[in-house]
């Protein structure tokens, strides 16, 4: 399969964010086997109501800080308990391309909605949709910017290989989008594979937050560190405990005024040491929201809730 790689320069962060308001949020049995961050004991009959309240609070926090948030409501049918995490099924790029990704859980495949892309076309220019979901037929998966942490300016895609992140599909994405893959294995303190790269790693314009303890292979650890150093990133190492509080699940975004924000959950903010916060504040304002129900039941955090829209605006 031959693709023409994209050559358009991209900025690391954008002020345009897509978020999906849940209607059936809850513990997803189909994803629990590979997502150790989901807490089965936290199941709650009021989970959807609490998640909606947390979602609205986070949207309000982002808007108050000048971020342009497009909110689209999930639909009652089909049943999509993880729809609050849209960055796994879609990504939007500065060259006008939209990627749709192969998802491991069958009920997560139902999150892909053409009407959402059509809605964005009211404001943004979509040149082409590249649908990689066909790889589901081969049991090969790549769950968007959960599986990949994209350093968009030097075009490097960091990815820990897992049941949800397949090397072959990653290579196809990188070949077409013009990215260089940096791959590694990553495990939690119990030795279980980390399901998504974006829970252990965040890359901003000038910084990177990484849980190096998760990377058992010394060579792979060195490759990641050297790649980040070669792109002039100041590295902030976090511990297993901090990662478990989603301190790796941050996202750099812009305000409409051009100010840099580093968005995370309240849990992640509280887990950071003061000296780590001081370093991060050199690169942007720390913005945080309480999303505890979403984190404990859904197994994802602030970064997972935000799909960045890098598409060019319609003229």
């Amino acid at each position: 399969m031959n693709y023409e790689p994209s050559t358009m320069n991209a900025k690391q962060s954008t002020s345009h964010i897509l978020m999906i308001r849940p209607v059936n949020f809850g513990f997803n049995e189909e994803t629990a086997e590979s997502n150790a961050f989901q807490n089965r004991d936290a199941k709650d009959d009021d989970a959807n109501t609490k998640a909606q309240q947390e979602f609205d609070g986070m949207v309000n926090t982002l808007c108050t800080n000048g971020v342009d948030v497009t909110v689209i409501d999930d639909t009652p049918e089909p049943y999509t308990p993880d729809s609050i995490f849209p960055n796994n099924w879609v990504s939007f790029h500065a060259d006008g391309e939209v990627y749709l990704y192969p998802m491991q859980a069958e009920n997560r495949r139902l999150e892909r909605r053409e009407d959402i892309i059509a809605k964005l076309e009211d404001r943004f220019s979509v040149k082409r949709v590249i649908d990689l979901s066909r790889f589901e037929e081969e049991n090969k998966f790549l769950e968007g910017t959960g599986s990949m942490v994209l350093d968009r300016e030097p075009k490097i895609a960091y990815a820990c290989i897992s049941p949800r992140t397949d090397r072959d599909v990653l290579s196809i994405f990188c070949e077409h989008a013009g990215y260089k893959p940096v791959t590694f294995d990553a495990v939690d303190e119990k030795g279980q594979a980390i399901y998504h790269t974006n829970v252990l790693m965040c890359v901003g314009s000038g910084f990177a937050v990484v849980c190096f303890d998760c990377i058992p292979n010394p060579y792979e650890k060195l490759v990641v560190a050297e790649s980040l150093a070669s792109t002039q990133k100041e590295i902030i190492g976090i511990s297993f405990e901090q990662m478990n509080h989603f301190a790796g699940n941050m996202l750099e975004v812009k305000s409409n005024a051009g100010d840099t924000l580093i968005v995370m959950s309240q849990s992640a903010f509280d887990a950071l040491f003061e000296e780590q916060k001081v370093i991060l504040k050199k690169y942007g304002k720390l913005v945080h929201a309480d999303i505890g129900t979403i984190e404990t039941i859904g197994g994802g955090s602030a970064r997972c809730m935000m799909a960045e829209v890098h598409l060019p605006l319609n003229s």
Side-chain angles (χ1 to χ4, degrees):
M1 190 175 300
N2 295 317
Y3 290 118
E4 180 182 347
S6 170
T7 57
M8 177 170 286
N9 292 328
K11 295 180 180 179
Q12 179 62 17
S13 50
T14 177
S15 63
H16 306 294
I17 300 294
L18 167 70
M19 296 178 68
I20 309 298
R21 193 174 192 269
V23 296
N24 278 316
F25 177 82
F27 188 88
N28 190 347
E29 295 287 352
E30 291 188 23
T31 59
E33 182 178 352
S34 60
N35 184 350
F37 291 83
Q38 289 178 241
N39 184 349
R40 191 179 299 275
D41 294 334
K43 281 202 259 188
D44 188 332
D45 291 339
D46 294 326
N48 187 68
T49 299
K50 292 177 180 177
Q52 287 178 334
Q53 292 170 346
E54 292 174 358
F55 177 93
D56 293 342
M58 181 167 163
V59 169
N60 181 63
T61 296
L62 290 170
C63 293
T64 299
N65 281 277
V67 180
D68 172 40
V69 183
T70 298
V71 174
I72 294 180
D73 289 325
D74 191 15
T75 54
E77 296 293 336
Y79 175 66
T80 50
D82 279 338
S83 63
I84 200 170
F85 305 130
N87 78 308
N88 298 143
W89 67 264
V90 66
S91 64
F92 306 96
H93 299 260
D95 57 4
E97 293 190 335
V98 176
Y99 287 81
L100 305 179
Y101 295 99
M103 308 284 285
Q104 185 186 47
E106 290 188 13
N107 63 17
R108 294 219 62 192
R109 299 170 190 178
L110 303 173
E111 295 172 28
R112 292 190 295 259
R113 288 170 49 188
E114 292 183 6
D115 66 299
I116 291 177
I117 298 170
K119 176 67 174 176
L120 289 175
E121 286 186 280
D122 292 343
R123 294 182 59 203
F124 301 95
S125 174
V126 174
K127 183 180 75 174
R128 180 165 46 176
V129 177
I130 298 95
D131 189 352
L132 301 176
S133 65
R134 64 187 181 278
F135 286 100
E136 291 167 352
E137 298 174 6
E138 302 175 34
N139 288 317
K140 293 181 177 181
F141 312 111
L142 184 72
E143 298 191 338
T145 53
S147 287
M148 302 177 292
V149 172
L150 300 180
D151 194 354
R152 291 176 184 265
E153 293 174 290
K155 307 206 86 169
I156 298 171
Y158 294 93
C160 67
I161 303 305
S162 77
R164 303 202 200 176
T165 304
D166 180 85
R167 289 183 188 274
D168 293 340
V169 189
L170 173 67
S171 295
I172 288 169
F173 168 83
C174 288
E175 179 185 349
H176 182 40
Y179 278 76
K180 171 189 173 184
V182 174
T183 62
F184 52 95
D185 291 323
V187 296
D188 62 21
E189 63 270 41
K190 297 179 181 177
Q192 179 173 339
I194 301 289
Y195 80 110
H196 277 162
T197 313
N198 74 0
V199 296
L200 69 94
M201 185 176 192
C202 161
V203 174
S205 300
F207 70 93
V209 177
V210 190
C211 182
F212 281 112
D213 292 343
C214 293
I215 308 175
N217 185 305
Y219 173 74
E220 291 181 341
K221 191 178 300 188
L222 180 63
V223 167
V224 172
E226 288 185 342
S227 178
L228 292 168
S230 73
T231 52
Q232 289 76 54
K233 300 293 190 291
E234 183 168 5
I235 299 173
I236 302 159
I238 58 173
S239 66
F240 277 128
E241 182 178 359
Q242 290 176 311
M243 181 193 71
N244 290 336
H245 286 87
F246 293 101
N249 197 246
M250 307 176 186
L251 182 65
E252 176 187 295
V253 304
K254 292 287 188 183
S255 73
N256 287 320
D259 298 322
T260 302
L261 312 171
I262 302 172
V263 183
M264 66 193 77
S265 71
Q266 185 67 47
S267 175
F269 180 81
D270 292 342
L272 291 171
F273 302 133
E274 285 305 314
E275 53 267 34
Q276 293 170 322
K277 294 176 184 176
V278 168
I279 296 171
L280 284 170
K281 286 176 182 177
K282 293 193 300 182
Y283 299 99
K285 178 182 178 181
L286 306 190
V287 175
H288 42 94
D290 185 355
I291 50 173
T293 301
I294 295 167
E295 289 178 318
T296 55
I297 295 177
S301 189
R303 193 275 169 269
C304 308
M305 296 169 64
M306 296 179 285
E308 308 137 279
V309 183
H310 284 268
L311 296 169
L313 286 163
N314 290 331
S315 55

